[in-house]
Amino acid sequence: SCPSEIQVENWLDLDRFDDPELKKLAELLPSIIIQDRAEGTIKTYISAYRLWKRWACTHGVCPIPADGTALALYIVSLIQQRRSVSSINSAVYGIDWIHKKNGYGLPSVHSVVKQVTDAARRILAKPKSRKKPLSSTQVKSIVQRLEKGSLADLQVAAMFALGFYGFLRWDDLSRITPEHLEFAPTHLLVHLEKRKNDQFRKGTQVLIARADRAPCPVAVVEKFLGKGRHKPGISIWRRIQSTKYGQVLRSTPMTYSRASELFKKELVKEGLDAKDYGLHSLRSGGATTAAALGIPDRLLQRQGGWRAAKAKNNYITYLH
């Protein structure tokens, strides 16, 4: 359905068609035209626009079509609130998007809006503090220590294995269900229905090879699924419950914060400073290790889902 903020009919004059087939197509157009962005992006844009609309109405300003100077003043107010660069971008992109969907010109092209936006990004910018990547030695040590343990241990071992060798974000990992894992004699194929850079939702596949020597990442994941008795259709990462019969998987999915907590707990056991690492350290660590081994760039980009070499290099060039 089309959000209330978007009135496509007002500027496309869809009622002018008498042909029955054209009328049916015209009814579909409003819901089609808003699907040029991912669902999450659209929600962000609409939320950002509503904040602008509330501010504009409070100050007696018309929210749409937006006056360039008024919008610039709104951005100044966001600067004064010390909002993030991300919130500035969401505001500008969201307001632009709503205007476009309603048939208006983009307010961001106004000279003063462009200048204030550029200034906001500079004023609010924070130096990037990247987390360190994990090395293959560190990941192997953790996986080898955990793979012989309890169901809870196996779950963490599998998380390290898939994240590191598959170059996966937590967002990717959290969506994996048993049906997405295809085991073969030589490898594991992970089917990802959605991925951050997969704008058209074509789906991608990640291949993880079996290892001749322990710890084998594929064998660890296989063992975890066998011991966990996972139900189809739900995330493989679950909260663990201890019973008199042993540990079992609960119906509650594992959250990002819980996964991060378990991840850092294992790093401490390895003598590492947990604050220097995050779940993204698995993805960046796997990519860095593969690059050091001379894996071709095209294969690295395919495994990590990077559309551009520049995005891929953000993960592997800052470590030596």
Side-chain angles (χ1 to χ4, degrees), residues 8 16 27-28 60 65 72 76 86 117 132-133 145 178 184-185 195 200 228 247 254 273 292 298 303:
V8 176
R16 61 194 171 94
E27 290 175 0
L28 293 173
V76 171
S86 176
T117 300
K132 293 181 180 179
R145 174 167 50 80
R195 211 168 190 186
F200 299 106
Q247 293 182 338
M254 184 185 292
D273 191 341
R298 64 181 181 83
Q303 184 83 342

Side-chain angles (χ1 to χ4, degrees), residues 108-172:
S108 66
V109 301
H110 192 288
S111 177
V112 70
V113 174
K114 291 176 68 175
Q115 293 179 67
V116 172
T117 300
D118 288 342
R121 289 167 178 157
R122 187 176 182 86
I123 293 168
L124 299 174
K126 297 179 180 178
K128 291 185 178 179
S129 178
R130 293 189 178 277
K131 297 296 185 180
K132 293 181 180 179
L134 287 168
S135 69
S136 60
T137 301
Q138 292 165 338
V139 171
K140 286 178 180 178
S141 176
I142 292 170
V143 172
Q144 197 161 28
R145 174 167 50 80
L146 294 174
E147 67 175 342
K148 299 175 183 177
S150 64
L151 178 60
D153 292 333
L154 269 175
Q155 176 163 240
V156 179
M159 182 172 67
F160 269 86
L162 282 177
F164 185 85
Y165 293 100
F167 304 176
L168 301 179
R169 306 176 181 86
W170 172 250
D171 191 48
D172 300 324

Side-chain angles (χ1 to χ4, degrees), residues 48-49 71 74-75 78 86-96:
Y49 173 78
L71 179 54
Y74 174 63
I75 296 172
L78 296 180
S86 176
S87 66
I88 299 294
N89 290 336
S90 294
V92 174
Y93 299 150
I95 294 168
D96 266 1

